[in-house]
Amino acid sequence: MTKAFITGLAGTELSDAERAFIAAERPWGFILFKRNVETPGQVSRLVRELRDCLGEPDAPVLIDQEGGRVARLGPPHWPAYPAGALFGRLYDIDPALGLKAARLSARLIADDLHQLGVNVDCLPLADVPVAGADAVIGNRAYGTEPDKVAAIARAVTEGLEQGGILPVLKHIPGHGRATADTHFKLPVVDTPKPELERTDFAAFRPLSDLPMAMTAHVVFSAFDPAHPATTSATMIERVIRGVIGFQGLLMSDDVSMNALAGSIAERTAAIIAAGCDMVLHCNGKLEEMRDVARMTPELSGTAQQRARRALSSRKAPQPFDRQAARAELDALIERAGIAGA
């Protein structure tokens, strides 16, 4: 049995202490960051070793590879990809072009990840930013209209899935109105329920069939003035599972982010108690990892069913002409740049 958490690690190689931790505590999956990445060969070896330690050859290995400023893989070993806002700009010229660029970019990213053995990308975003919000989302977003955002997010999902990569929808039920970066501070959104349902939640609703989603560490005071969505049973039951209708595997955003209150152990317990299926811990600090593992139950019941359903939805990569796809994406990027000048 595995436990209901996903863990990071400290560096480019596993330490003896990390190997022992993985073997003893059995996380469901792993997540990689820039500190874990040097070369393609090194990343591939690390991914294999993580799975060997767990004894699970298909264990989920996640990464945040969006394009733009959120890219754990980059030059010189991996190509750069555009931020999500470019797809929105193309969509405004011609919706078909925006969707094509989004799909192509995601398919190329999927090819990069598949070659490394990484099988989950924390993408797409369905956050709908508003004027005055913190820049943490910014040009990562596909636009400011829910229908447009959902359409581009669907195209990104298709590109990832065509390349054999599972998507993680984020940050449900919406990070676009946050007036603070949740890495450092807890944002409170006071927008009334009808407006949230018309905008923020509306972008996620057409994507409710995706296999996995990541929560937002954001308080929506109209529903729960005391807790961010990640630790709010009200938000998870009434909004994420109810209004939005998401029935896939729900993971927290990083439990070590300062938007959450209390110790790591207390945060972990609160995340599980609220109804999240999975706790995500990212910073690779072993003592924190042990606290998360201590407070996390074995994956069972409905959460286990959702996890199995998510993994079983992964498809084999489809045939792919990488050179032609990159050339087509570059032409679309150039067109967006010219149109935006």
Side-chain angles (χ1 to χ4, degrees):
M1 293 288 288
T2 57
K3 286 188 174 181
F5 76 102
I6 297 163
T7 191
L9 57 146
T12 56
E13 298 179 354
L14 280 176
S15 67
D16 290 341
E18 286 171 332
R19 288 191 190 92
F21 170 81
I22 292 166
E25 298 296 349
R26 300 192 55 74
W28 182 71
F30 308 94
I31 187 164
L32 302 181
F33 286 84
K34 280 188 177 181
R35 65 178 182 272
N36 309 123
V37 169
E38 284 181 343
T39 65
Q42 169 266 324
V43 176
S44 296
R45 286 191 300 274
L46 179 59
V47 168
R48 286 195 300 271
E49 189 171 5
L50 288 168
R51 292 185 171 128
D52 288 346
C53 283
L54 194 57
E56 296 286 349
D58 296 317
V61 178
L62 291 70
I63 198 165
D64 286 288
Q65 188 71 0
E66 298 177 11
R69 58 192 160 91
V70 179
R72 314 308 184 200
L73 309 173
H77 297 293
W78 296 275
Y81 295 97
L86 179 130
F87 311 137
R89 194 152 67 240
L90 273 169
Y91 188 96
D92 291 340
I93 300 168
D94 180 343
L97 294 180
L99 299 180
K100 177 181 277 191
R103 197 176 293 110
L104 282 169
S105 183
R107 182 64 184 86
L108 286 157
I109 288 172
D111 190 54
D112 295 339
L113 302 186
H114 181 71
Q115 290 181 35
L116 300 172
V118 174
N119 55 4
V120 182
D121 195 3
C122 298
L123 197 65
L125 278 75
D127 302 309
V128 181
V130 298
D134 187 88
V136 66
I137 298 298
N139 71 352
R140 298 163 66 189
Y142 307 134
T144 57
E145 300 84 33
D147 290 349
K148 172 182 167 181
V149 168
I152 294 173
R154 176 65 68 182
V156 169
T157 297
E158 291 167 354
L160 292 176
E161 290 179 336
Q162 288 165 10
I165 302 300
L166 286 172
V168 178
L169 176 64
K170 59 189 187 186
H171 304 82
I172 199 167
H175 205 301
R177 294 182 186 272
T179 54
D181 184 340
T182 50
H183 290 87
F184 309 110
K185 188 179 177 182
L186 176 64
V188 176
V189 170
D190 293 324
T191 305
K193 292 179 185 180
E195 181 65 9
L196 289 170
E197 293 184 14
R198 189 186 67 81
T199 55
D200 304 60
F201 304 165
F204 285 90
R205 202 175 296 120
L207 305 164
S208 61
D209 62 315
L210 266 62
M212 294 183 279
M214 181 187 294
T215 61
H217 294 335
V218 176
V219 169
F220 294 88
S221 61
F223 291 91
D224 184 345
H227 306 96
T230 302
T231 58
S232 170
T234 298
M235 289 299 299
I236 290 173
E237 293 168 13
R238 287 181 54 192
V239 176
I240 294 175
R241 301 295 190 193
V243 173
I244 291 172
F246 177 74
Q247 297 303 316
L249 181 77
L250 185 65
M251 67 182 70
S252 72
D253 203 345
D254 182 10
V255 65
S256 65
M257 291 162 69
N258 289 328
L260 300 184
S263 67
I264 294 295
E266 290 167 339
R267 297 175 190 184
T268 301
I271 288 167
I272 295 294
C276 279
D277 300 313
M278 193 75 56
V279 179
L280 176 66
H281 182 264
C282 295
N283 65 23
K285 295 179 180 178
L286 192 56
E287 287 308 309
E288 290 189 14
M289 291 157 61
R290 289 177 174 138
D291 285 341
V292 170
R294 178 167 55 86
M295 300 303 294
T296 305
E298 287 189 345
L299 191 58
S300 63
T302 305
Q304 184 179 50
Q305 292 171 15
R306 290 172 179 145
R308 286 175 175 167
R309 192 163 61 239
L311 294 184
S312 67
S313 71
R314 183 169 167 255
K315 304 173 182 68
Q318 297 177 11
F320 179 58
D321 185 334
R322 184 182 178 92
Q323 187 173 356
R326 185 71 222 200
E328 192 171 8
L329 177 61
D330 286 343
L332 290 168
I333 291 170
E334 183 178 3
R335 180 164 180 176
I338 293 168

